[in-house]
Amino acid sequence: VYGLLPLCVMTAILPFLPSNALIELPIIAFSAGIMMKTFTGSQIENHPFVIFMTSGNYRRMLTALYYAIGDQREYRRQAVNYSFIVGSFVVGAIVSAVLMHFVHLKSIWVITLSLITIMVYYSSEVKRLGLKETNL
C-alpha cells in the first residue's frame, strides 16, 4: 500500500497542475519509477510478473497456455493468472483511451480511484486476516 501512495497522490493532483510537459513528464516518470522499484520481484502464486505491461507477461501467458493445452494441469492456473494480468492491462489501456476523448486529462482520476480501491481492499484483507507480518 505504501508503494502505491506516491503514484496515487500524483495521479490525483496531475489534472490541477498547469499543462506543461516539462512538469508532467518528470512527475509521471518519478511515480512510475517508484512503483516499479517497489514491486520488483512481485509474484502471483510463486510465479513472477511485471507490474507494467511488457512482453514478459505476454510471453509467460502464451507459454503457460501452450503447456496447459498440452495437458499439463499444473500450467492451467498459471495460464489463467497471466491471462488476467495481460487482459487487465489491455482493458485498462482501452478504457483510458476512450475516457480521454470525453473527460480529457481528468481521465487519470479513474486510475486514482482504482488505486484507492485496491489499497482499501488490500488493507482491509490484511487487517481482517491478521496478516500484518506476512503477505497475502
Side-chain angles (χ1 to χ4, degrees):
V1 172
Y2 297 119
L4 291 176
L5 280 176
L7 182 64
C8 187
V9 169
M10 296 317 307
T11 58
I13 65 171
L14 192 62
F16 297 112
L17 297 175
S19 183
N20 183 349
L22 293 175
I23 295 172
E24 294 171 358
L25 188 61
I27 289 172
I28 292 172
F30 176 73
S31 299
I34 288 176
M35 194 170 94
M36 283 177 23
K37 177 72 174 152
T38 302
F39 293 102
T40 298
S42 298
Q43 295 184 344
I44 295 179
E45 297 179 354
N46 297 325
H47 300 290
F49 78 99
V50 181
I51 197 73
F52 287 98
M53 181 60 180
T54 62
S55 60
N57 290 332
Y58 186 68
R59 180 183 49 81
R60 288 183 185 116
M61 177 191 74
L62 291 178
T63 302
L65 284 171
Y66 174 78
Y67 286 125
I69 291 171
D71 204 28
Q72 293 188 17
R73 305 187 116 213
E74 66 269 11
Y75 285 97
R76 288 185 183 159
R77 183 145 177 123
Q78 185 178 351
V80 169
N81 288 337
Y82 282 119
S83 297
F84 276 127
I85 292 169
V86 171
S88 296
F89 281 116
V90 170
V91 169
I94 292 170
V95 168
S96 296
V98 169
L99 283 175
M100 278 297 289
H101 289 293
F102 297 111
V103 291
H104 308 290
L105 190 58
K106 291 181 179 82
S107 65
I108 200 164
W109 284 339
V110 172
I111 295 169
T112 306
L113 291 174
S114 298
L115 290 170
I116 290 170
T117 302
I118 290 166
M119 290 186 300
V120 168
Y121 175 75
Y122 182 82
S123 297
S124 66
E125 286 296 301
V126 166
K127 187 173 182 175
R128 182 179 69 86
L129 298 172
L131 300 174
K132 292 184 181 181
E133 303 299 323
T134 60
N135 196 356
L136 276 179

